[in-house]
Amino acid sequence: MLKILGKLGLLVTALAIGAVWLVVLRLKDVSTPLLAAYGLLLAALVAGLLWPDVLGRLSTRRRVLVVLGISAGLATLGLYLAVVYYVTDLPVLLALAATACLAWAAAALLRGRRAAGGRGARQTRRALLASGAGLLLGVLSGLSVGWAERRRREVLVRGEQERQAALRAPGARRRIADGAVRVFPIHTGDTIVTYGQFYGGLDGWEGPNGYLRTLLDKAQIAVPVYAYLIDHPRHGLMLVDTGVNWEQAHDHDGYYDHNYMVSRLLTQRDEYRMNPEQDLRVRLARLGYDAKEITTVVLTHVHDDHAGGLRHLAQATVVMDRRDWEHGTLYPYSFDLVKDHLSFPAFDSGAFGAFPGSQDYFGDGSLILLPTPGHSPGHMCVLLRLGTGSVLFMGDTLYTLPHLATGQVRQMTIGGADTIHQIEAARRIQHLLASDPRTVPLFAHDNTRYQSGSVSSAFATGRPGKEGLRELRAHMEAVLTPDWRLRPGHTPRFVPPSSGTRLGRVEFR
Ligand SMILES: [Zn+2]
């Protein structure tokens, strides 16, 4: 019986250590030496615990209890530290080493008590040495906390200086007030995602399994994060989504609460990349605008890569679907400044094309909110009339043009009803685009040439005109057949990173 219990204990220990490793491996920014050091430390702890010399003198029952108790405790501690501190921090590594020394000292002391004469004295000396080393390492760990905190603050101060310098730099566009609606794509940095999360929805990236794969899969790519500025002659300055902010990208641990385990497991430390030029305020200044002039922000959904810029928009009315605010917010961090002026559409303006409900936001048909749940419970797409045609802001309902081929390319979905809603939303969008050849889609994370080439040149002045819109539709038709299938040359494929780089890229074949 006890033998079986002992084996079970070992199995549990192995699983717990395996779990720690999964979390560590999921953190793709852990450097190899640190990873190896952590592994060696864990292996030493486990080997020490199971060493027959230490435990040989105990009765079997006690031995099993000791092995079970200590290893479960250490594994839990390791898991906690790995999740909360990512185990890459110097303070944590030092603390782990200190703990190991103290455990060793305790074991030596125990052995010394039992042994007689010279052998006992030797064990006591060892215990003293080990506990001394443990205490020293503990003190160093405490001291290094301050050092790590200082470095964090330095990074933030330097970032703010760089952004202020970028804001002062000349080169702002001259604003033109000619009564036309203008739209500017604003690239606010990049986000790192697993390839399958972005393109693999039909390939087993669905539901809980999809989430597990985002934790473990190392096939990663960087995709851009876009917000869109609208300069409207009647309704002032608006933003559709706001991108990420500097702290999200450069002080991830400070921005996201250390102890918020769920967020820790779902987000990763280096998920955003951003240079000072990509700060929302700097981008707006380059276009001749001031973030303080923005009066309305429409969030396609409440995910953090769309809401980070809110911290520069304290004066704006923020429009979003109530369902996202109430049920879908895994990331409430960015809303502190604006949570008192949120606006929730009622979607009572009647059907719009294939959409059973819609919200004519200003009551003049200029901006229509269309519910497209799936990616989040209250996701919406936004249709803006330009005069020469319309743009449809997709949010994250569809990431790129190839995603319109829903039978061939799909993003990761939650599974169940959400997947059904997501596909329904995509069909309604297909219907809308098919019914109006002057409507063009604009995406939030498009990593294809549609965004980097066609969109950026058509919207360079904010006004694509009839010709620009026609070119964008021509690009769309070069990617997709009329029955929403990919033409040759547009099926995405992951290309693994070459040596020396961590991120792969996407190739279209
Ligand atoms: Zn997004």
Side-chain angles (χ1 to χ4, degrees), residues 191 225 301 303 305-306 375 395-396 399 444-445:
T191 176
V225 180
H301 63 298
H303 280 172
D305 52 327
H306 299 253
H375 180 81
D396 283 358
Y399 291 140
H445 301 293

Side-chain angles (χ1 to χ4, degrees), residues 474-489:
H475 190 134
M476 189 175 121
E477 277 144 32
V479 175
L480 296 149
T481 64
D483 61 344
W484 307 107
R485 295 193 56 78
L486 292 174
R487 293 190 194 276

